[in-house]
Amino acid sequence: MLSAMLNAIYVLAALALVASFGLAIAARIFAVETDPRIERVEEALPGVNCGACGFPGCSGLAKAIVEEKAGVADCPVGGENTASAVAEIMGLSFAGGGEKMVAMVLCRGDDEVASKRFYYNGVSDCSSAALIFGGDKSCSYGCLGLGTCAGACPFGAIEMLPSGLALIDPEKCTGCTKCVDSCPKGIIKMVPASRTVHILCSSHDKGGVARKACKTACIGCQKCVKAVPEGAIVMDNFLAVINYDMEIPEEVADECPMNTIVVRRQGDLAATSVDMQTAVGGDA
Amino acid sequence: MSKGAFFGGVHPSYNKDMASGQAVIEMPLPKELIVYFSQNLGAPSNPVVKKGDEVKKGQVIGESGGFVSTPVHAPTSGVVKTVENRPSPVGADMIAAVIVPDGLDEWVEGCNVERGSTGLNREKIKGLIHDGGIVGMGGATFPTHVKLSPPPDKKMDTLIINGAECEPYLTADHRVMLEDAESVLDGAALFAGVIDVKNIVIAIEKNKPDAIITMQRAIAGRSGFTVAEMDVIYPQGAEKQLIYAITGRKVPAGGLPMDVGVLVQNVGTAAAAYEMIRYNRPLIQRVVTVTGSGIKHPKNVLARVGTKFSDLIEFCGGVHGDTAKLINGGPMMGIAQHSLDAGMTKGTSGLVLLREDEVGQFVSDPCIRCGNCLDVCPMTLNPSALSIFIERMRFDDAEEYNLMDCIECGCCAYVCPSKRPMVHHFRRAKAEIRNKAKKAG
Amino acid sequence: MEDNLEGKVPEEKRPSADGPAEKPAVPTDGAAEKPVAPTGESAEKPAAPAEKSADKPAAAGSPPPAAKPKKKDEIGPRFIVSSSPHLHDGRTVSSIMKLVVYALLPATLFSVYAFGFGALKVIIISVASAMIFEALSQKAMGRQIRLADFSAVLTGLLLALNLPSTSPWWLVVTGNFFAIVIAKQLYGGLGYNPFNPALIGRVVLLVSFPVHMTARWVQATPFGSNPFGVDAVTTATPLTMARESLAALGHIDVPFGTQEIMNLLVGNRGGCLGETSVILLLAGGLFLILKKVISWHIPVSFIGSVWALTGIFYLIDKTTYANPSFHVISGGLILGALFMATDYVTSPVTKKGMLIFGAGCGLITVLIRLWGGYPEGVSFAILLMNAATPLIDRFTKPTVFGAVDKQKAAA
């Protein structure tokens, strides 16, 4: 019994010895020169492999950065901290990039306020729904509310409200723009994270048409345009659009007769949906 | 004549006797017509009228926008009320001329004139077919003159006139064959002359015995014509399946009927082409079957292109209460409508109104892999795997499983016990794959 | 603004549209009057008076399930809009599952008749526990509770038919726990389970409680002595007898004359509840094939390959190998081939794949029966082939219509 056990131990030990020699030799012969910085850069990156940078995952970007095919700030997700950490590894200086951008759904026409043209019966996916007459909303620019953007978001930053609207949490949003590409309606836009005043409508329909389709549509009345410094809000084909290069006073939200303009301060995501309810209730 | 059956297919309830016994009735002019400038597959036509213009019946209001395009004509005389986007029966809103008839129904000069057969060579006939705005009237609306122009290296030998009408409910082609057999045959002879074929097959499903007899009588004395009695199975009228059933030839995947020397034209198209060549009457009206359990008096209506669905329904006595679905075309491949104010097009072969309990609503349960869809797919695809791939956004895998060969006949969804919206999945993935290919160059 | 009636007629939003007032199409739901007259250029007016009716249109507006219309003889405010096709043949998952249950009923009733009260108890406990586990796990996982699809009933019934009539209640419940919770719901529910749930339940019990599962067979007594009697005769299954005689005597010693064949066909033998009566199982299977619920491919290739392989060995050595027909009708092969191997979710979808699947099941069954550690191998064979199903489907991908010609044309 004992000898059998010992035999087994001897055999395994011998095997281990042979194999380790083999590995040691192989490692010398087949060694591949890799830049140690790649590994360090990869560690500095967020590591979520979202692909938003256009490279195959974080390791792909790390390789590209070290090979100088990509810049130190090319990770759209990591923000300034990541960029400066990467820059340090690369021995470069990072001057600080632009402002952090977050995605925002420029529509607040949920089922409470926006009418529908028909009963949609099909695949629960915005891209599919958009193939059928552009979706069931009367407003052809409205959020279809089936959550394709939420599915595309690698960070779980998009919540589908039960009322049929996508809501992006700016705290969780990293600005990777995946949702922007996924939206068949093209109504998700990147906005500076620090800004508080937004026009949540994308409808280029004329006022009457837009108003019939949705109670919170921009009807192109231009009251907001007149209430802000010139150029801060501009009209684009019956739609008021914010020029984020300029400062806008928060009071302008009170000017909007349709409650299309919202003030969304940091951390009060929930407030948006609440004040939407009150706004609608007040109207009715 | 029939060489056999294609693989797959289904047998839905045909419900054709609702309207098949109704002779075609011409509908009085409605109050307004919505004439879209995109009446064919391919490039839309370019509007040449504007708000306030007076038009005559048969006048060109939209000029051909390219080779794969046809002109659009005014369906009657009247005033162009406006040119603007209107809800369309096929998708997003489309630009249309809204014409208010003046009630005189006057032809424009040159139209509705009998033409002698002198000087009618191939090119001339093709040109006239283009000028007449003739498109495939089975529903696909592919410009007929393009189909009649195969490249010289394609040797054509057979013309199939498609009167299979395999879509349930629809009887428009049936009535055309019964009431206008001579025009169909004359039109077919014109097509055959253009592509230089001697063998013309009129394909009719066996559930239309009267049409078969009528056609058999009509071809007596004409040479080159045969009538093929086709098995009653959906989609017998699909081009590739019809060609296989009649000639035993398989149109290559991704190919066209001309690759096997065959041209397929709908019976209505043949009749319309004859009207154009013989009397110079462009395609401004067609037979539409207004039917289904939702309509009070199912009819076959000869209506002007642009007639609003609401007018058609009114002409047929209105609807029953629980009508839940309005379909432009047949119930297997037609497009469900959301607006009664869309106008019919040259491809509107029928308007089917279904009650709520008849509508096969989709529920998108998980696939239980029963394999029924594989048994019925006439293109021998694996719809089950395709839909699962697409649900998981694996469009490359779907392409590898020959998604692009899907003809969207709907057999798979018809038999799916989980009521999955298969065709919807496929359309979405096809759009995705085409977009990707476009982006790649 | 307006209300949900609005959407139907989008161009009425446009100032130029004159409302087709007289149409039957005009919805009059009583809630709001539609502006019939041409609206002014501003188009703002019609919206204002309608504000008062903006109560709760959205509640009914949730998209798919039911369009709840409307008054008599009027087109509803909105149509159902979907992709084609707009018809359905009416066969649903639950109607299919019900057909399978019906097909199993003769064999089920026979088992009660033959094995008595014990069988009835096993069946009732099994079906009930399957349904309870299904509902509980669906609730726990936040899924829709779908007892109405009948798949749990079928799984419970199939598992019961794979158990001996002497099974204690806890054995049945344990088996159903593994079948429903572990093998089905943890994988995502109906449609996602890679292995046949009922067979997982059976095999877990077989390897965990071999004594309960194999040693306490009761002779089915369909004709003669009292069916509900307590003096049941303990016996072995025919396959066990064959194996034991081979071990003891060195050759197969199982009588296989007309009387024995009759007994096997009718079900006058020991075995699991559902596997005994070959004739009733065949009748159920035929019913399913005629109803186009299953195709012939898997049963024929499964049974055929078992018959052919055992036949070859029988021809080589009649003393050590049993008659192939004995192999076919003696164990759980008929039940397995007709009702278990044909499970949609876990078998291939292509016809070619089904033939390969059936043949593979047959091969493994024969290997286990002739040389394995268990007298019966049908369950293991099916489960092993379940694992190969995705692979089989991949290799038997159907060729698209016209593909052959394409290659020719290219050449």
Side-chain angles (χ1 to χ4, degrees):
Chain A
M1 186 66 187
L2 188 68
S3 71
M5 273 172 68
L6 284 176
N7 279 341
I9 290 169
Y10 294 147
V11 170
L12 283 176
L15 267 175
L17 209 63
V18 173
S20 55
F21 268 114
L23 277 175
I25 293 165
R28 284 285 163 83
I29 294 176
F30 301 113
V32 181
E33 282 297 317
T34 50
D35 195 321
R37 287 180 300 173
I38 292 180
E39 205 172 315
R40 289 173 60 206
V41 171
E42 193 180 340
E43 273 166 26
L45 292 171
V48 285
N49 294 321
C50 68
C53 54
F55 291 95
C58 292
S59 61
L61 177 62
K63 192 157 177 277
I65 291 174
V66 173
E67 288 168 359
E68 292 177 7
K69 286 176 188 154
V72 291
D74 274 7
C75 173
V77 169
E80 272 185 51
N81 291 343
T82 302
S84 45
V86 172
E88 204 183 306
I89 297 165
M90 293 296 294
L92 300 167
S93 65
F94 173 64
E99 201 178 351
K100 187 196 172 194
M101 303 290 276
V102 292
M104 183 166 282
V105 181
L106 296 189
C107 175
R108 63 184 311 197
D110 63 7
D111 291 345
E112 297 286 328
V113 298
S115 67
K116 296 198 171 183
R117 297 184 290 176
F118 52 82
Y119 295 97
Y120 172 67
N121 175 218
V123 182
S124 195
D125 161 82
C126 301
S127 303
S128 305
L131 288 180
I132 295 186
F133 296 106
D136 58 355
K137 283 242 162 99
S138 302
C139 171
S140 56
Y141 303 90
C143 171
L144 298 178
L146 295 173
T148 298
C149 52
C153 180
F155 305 96
I158 306 184
E159 183 198 351
M160 296 312 299
L161 300 177
S163 55
L165 202 60
L167 190 60
I168 304 179
D169 184 347
E171 308 278 303
K172 289 188 193 159
C173 176
T174 60
C176 73
T177 72
K178 286 213 150 184
C179 55
V180 176
D181 300 334
S182 77
C183 177
K185 291 286 171 185
I187 57 169
I188 305 181
K189 293 276 175 356
M190 301 305 292
V191 300
S194 61
R195 305 301 293 270
T196 54
V197 180
H198 305 283
I199 297 180
L200 294 190
C201 182
S202 305
S203 169
H204 290 290
D205 282 329
K206 285 181 196 163
V209 178
R211 181 199 285 269
K212 272 204 165 185
C214 174
K215 286 184 216 165
T216 58
C218 170
I219 52 170
C221 67
Q222 310 203 16
K223 279 188 183 161
C224 55
V225 175
K226 290 164 196 150
V228 296
E230 201 184 326
I233 295 180
V234 293
M235 293 307 294
D236 172 21
N237 204 3
F238 305 104
L239 174 66
V241 180
I242 287 182
N243 175 3
Y244 286 104
D245 292 337
M246 291 178 67
E247 284 301 323
I248 295 175
E250 291 184 357
E251 292 74 48
V252 70
D254 301 332
E255 294 290 325
C256 182
M258 300 297 288
N259 292 303
T260 314
I261 306 182
V262 298
V263 176
R264 199 180 261 186
R265 295 189 193 85
Q266 292 236 308
D268 68 351
L269 182 67
T272 322
S273 33
V274 170
D275 85 47
M276 177 146 48
Q277 301 295 335
T278 46
V280 173
D283 260 15
Chain B
M1 190 65 215
S2 177
K3 289 269 168 73
F6 58 89
F7 177 86
V10 294
H11 296 94
S13 314
Y14 283 88
N15 290 324
K16 283 178 186 276
D17 33 358
M18 271 188 232
S20 60
Q22 303 279 336
V24 175
I25 309 175
E26 185 165 0
M27 184 175 155
L29 284 171
K31 287 209 193 80
E32 66 174 19
L33 295 161
I34 317 285
V35 187
Y36 303 99
F37 288 101
S38 177
Q39 293 275 357
N40 56 260
L41 206 70
S45 64
N46 302 317
V48 293
V49 288
K50 56 183 190 308
K51 187 176 173 176
D53 282 0
E54 279 194 21
V55 291
K56 293 270 188 263
K57 185 180 180 181
Q59 182 183 332
V60 173
I61 60 171
E63 278 174 351
S64 211
F67 177 63
V68 187
S69 182
T70 52
V72 175
H73 306 81
T76 185
S77 58
V79 180
V80 178
K81 189 164 103 182
T82 176
V83 176
E84 63 177 16
N85 273 328
R86 285 297 175 115
S88 108
V90 293
D93 293 3
M94 294 195 310
I95 184 135
V98 180
I99 295 177
V100 177
D102 57 11
L104 302 173
D105 210 21
E106 271 181 318
W107 282 98
V108 71
E109 211 172 292
C111 276
N112 197 27
V113 179
E114 194 164 341
R115 188 198 316 273
S117 55
T118 49
L120 275 184
N121 56 27
R122 274 179 210 170
E123 287 310 311
K124 176 81 178 161
I125 292 175
K126 261 199 280 187
L128 284 172
I129 285 174
H130 165 265
D131 296 344
I134 313 286
V135 299
M137 286 163 74
T141 66
F142 192 77
T144 301
H145 68 277
V146 181
K147 265 185 154 184
L148 288 173
S149 312
D153 60 316
K154 303 281 183 201
K155 185 79 195 84
M156 310 295 285
D157 60 16
T158 305
L159 168 67
I160 297 175
I161 298 299
N162 188 351
E165 201 162 50
C166 60
E167 271 275 3
Y169 290 89
L170 300 188
T171 55
D173 290 349
H174 186 182
R175 293 311 305 184
V176 168
M177 288 188 286
L178 282 182
E179 299 179 25
D180 210 4
E182 293 298 328
S183 300
V184 172
L185 294 182
D186 288 336
L190 284 168
F191 290 151
V194 171
I195 56 167
D196 194 21
V197 303
K198 300 279 178 288
N199 181 21
I200 306 171
V201 183
I202 318 283
I204 309 172
E205 274 194 357
K206 285 175 192 157
N207 58 1
K208 294 179 266 292
D210 48 349
I212 292 174
I213 292 169
T214 309
M215 277 296 167
Q216 275 166 345
R217 281 193 197 134
I219 62 169
R222 294 175 185 250
S223 69
F225 282 87
T226 40
V227 172
E229 299 179 34
M230 312 302 298
D231 289 335
V232 181
I233 183 166
Y234 176 88
Q236 184 66 270
E239 235 173 29
K240 290 180 178 185
Q241 280 62 38
L242 189 66
I243 291 170
Y244 180 69
I246 288 179
T247 66
R249 298 174 201 168
K250 283 187 178 179
V251 177
L256 293 170
M258 64 170 72
D259 295 331
V260 291
V262 180
L263 172 68
V264 181
Q265 289 288 1
N266 174 267
V267 286
T269 316
Y274 174 73
E275 288 279 301
M276 180 60 201
I277 306 294
R278 188 89 175 96
Y279 301 108
N280 219 22
R281 292 180 198 140
L283 177 50
I284 54 166
Q285 61 185 11
R286 65 159 298 151
V287 179
V288 186
T289 310
V290 184
T291 183
S293 58
I295 196 92
K296 281 192 175 150
H297 306 297
K299 284 189 173 88
N300 294 295
V301 181
L302 180 65
R304 303 293 163 98
V305 169
T307 306
K308 289 201 288 190
F309 293 149
S310 54
D311 292 329
L312 281 169
I313 289 169
E314 194 189 3
F315 181 66
C316 294
V319 299
H320 292 296
D322 49 357
T323 298
K325 218 168 200 180
L326 172 69
I327 303 158
N328 170 27
M332 291 301 285
M333 285 187 77
I335 301 169
Q337 300 296 302
H338 69 88
S339 169
L340 285 171
D341 293 290
M344 56 171 274
T345 67
K346 293 174 182 177
T348 303
S349 48
L351 195 61
V352 180
L353 289 90
L354 296 181
R355 293 195 189 200
E356 201 173 339
D357 51 358
E358 285 175 298
V359 175
Q361 293 230 41
F362 299 114
V363 288
S364 287
D365 278 347
C367 173
I368 60 163
R369 298 171 36 84
C370 66
N372 284 353
C373 50
L374 282 94
D375 295 342
V376 299
C377 177
M379 294 305 289
T380 59
L381 301 172
N382 183 345
S384 151
L386 285 172
S387 74
I388 293 171
F389 284 143
I390 294 164
E391 255 174 353
R392 296 175 188 169
M393 312 274 263
R394 287 163 58 184
F395 301 118
D396 293 345
D397 286 317
E399 200 177 357
E400 196 200 312
Y401 271 61
N402 301 312
L403 170 69
M404 300 316 267
D405 289 304
C406 166
I407 58 170
E408 300 178 14
C409 64
C411 290
C412 47
Y414 176 76
V415 298
C416 179
S418 290
K419 299 198 171 179
R420 292 160 66 79
M422 311 288 275
V423 179
H424 198 177
H425 278 303
F426 300 159
R427 289 203 179 119
R428 187 263 162 110
K430 282 179 177 178
E432 204 86 26
I433 290 167
R434 284 197 198 103
N435 281 347
K436 212 177 108 193
K438 217 181 277 170
K439 265 185 211 159
Chain C
M1 68 153 291
E2 282 290 293
D3 57 11
N4 60 340
L5 306 182
E6 202 35 55
K8 184 184 65 59
V9 206
E11 69 265 62
E12 296 221 334
K13 296 169 204 155
R14 299 190 174 83
S16 52
D18 48 348
E22 73 295 342
K23 294 276 141 53
V26 174
T28 50
D29 221 20
E33 268 314 308
K34 188 189 317 197
V36 162
T39 59
E41 283 303 311
S42 73
E44 313 245 316
K45 266 180 225 142
E51 297 277 324
K52 64 182 185 311
S53 69
D55 39 16
K56 272 251 167 264
S62 55
K68 273 290 156 261
K70 43 229 136 186
K71 284 193 176 170
K72 248 190 129 197
D73 292 356
E74 280 165 12
I75 290 192
R78 291 188 220 153
F79 296 118
I80 303 170
V81 174
S82 70
S83 166
S84 62
H86 310 289
L87 298 177
H88 191 268
D89 71 356
R91 181 170 277 193
T92 60
V93 174
S94 77
S95 74
I96 288 174
M97 296 290 173
K98 275 183 210 161
L99 282 175
V100 181
V101 171
Y102 297 156
L104 282 169
L105 274 185
T108 310
L109 293 176
F110 175 81
S111 73
V112 176
Y113 177 61
F115 292 104
F117 184 67
L120 189 63
K121 199 179 77 183
V122 168
I123 292 167
I124 291 174
I125 293 174
S126 184
V127 172
S129 60
M131 291 174 74
I132 291 168
F133 281 130
E134 174 106 339
L136 287 181
S137 47
Q138 279 172 340
K139 194 162 170 58
M141 292 177 205
R143 299 194 185 113
Q144 203 186 335
I145 294 179
R146 296 169 182 268
L147 287 179
D149 69 14
F150 265 71
S151 66
V153 175
L154 182 58
T155 304
L157 182 59
L158 277 172
L159 182 56
L161 295 184
N162 272 289
L163 296 175
S165 61
T166 52
S167 308
W169 68 269
W170 54 266
L171 192 77
V172 182
V173 172
T174 310
N176 274 296
F177 174 79
F178 277 96
I180 298 288
V181 179
I182 307 288
K184 188 171 161 195
Q185 293 298 339
L186 277 186
Y187 281 99
L190 181 67
Y192 298 110
N193 50 306
F195 298 104
N196 187 319
L199 282 179
I200 290 283
R202 172 185 150 87
V203 164
V204 165
L205 297 182
L206 189 64
V207 298
S208 313
F209 309 102
V211 176
H212 293 92
M213 289 294 290
T214 56
R216 294 214 221 144
W217 299 114
V218 173
Q219 173 73 41
T221 49
F223 311 109
S225 64
N226 57 335
F228 286 85
V230 282
D231 54 343
V233 186
T234 308
T235 180
T237 67
L239 280 174
T240 314
M241 287 189 224
R243 179 176 281 253
E244 281 169 355
S245 69
L246 180 62
L249 310 171
H251 64 91
I252 291 276
D253 182 28
V254 180
F256 197 57
T258 319
Q259 183 56 42
E260 284 77 18
I261 291 176
M262 276 311 294
N263 279 344
L264 285 172
L265 287 179
V266 170
N268 191 6
R269 57 135 163 144
C272 295
L273 291 187
E275 68 184 19
T276 56
S277 175
V278 171
I279 287 180
L280 294 178
L281 287 171
L282 284 176
L286 200 63
F287 169 75
L288 289 186
I289 291 173
L290 290 178
K291 279 278 177 188
K292 296 204 169 156
V293 173
I294 60 173
S295 71
W296 56 266
H297 298 76
I298 289 176
V300 167
S301 80
F302 193 167
I303 297 170
S305 60
V306 168
W307 192 81
L309 286 170
T310 51
I312 291 170
F313 288 105
Y314 181 68
L315 288 181
I316 294 171
D317 183 355
K318 286 184 187 171
T319 56
T320 16
Y321 299 106
N323 187 307
S325 305
F326 172 79
H327 270 287
V328 167
I329 60 177
S330 61
L333 177 63
I334 302 294
L335 177 67
L338 284 170
F339 294 96
M340 315 288 277
T342 54
D343 171 47
Y344 285 155
V345 180
T346 55
S347 66
V349 291
T350 62
K351 294 285 178 271
K352 222 189 287 176
M354 289 177 186
L355 291 176
I356 296 172
F357 180 86
C361 288
L363 176 67
I364 299 172
T365 301
V366 171
L367 289 178
I368 295 176
R369 279 192 184 176
L370 298 187
W371 297 289
Y374 287 92
E376 175 59 303
V378 170
S379 336
F380 292 106
I382 297 173
L383 285 177
L384 284 168
M385 289 310 287
N386 284 165
T389 293
L391 210 61
I392 295 174
D393 266 343
R394 179 140 194 98
F395 281 120
T396 55
K397 185 175 90 178
T399 317
V400 63
F401 178 90
V404 183
D405 307 66
K406 193 184 186 178
Q407 280 167 5
K408 256 186 220 159

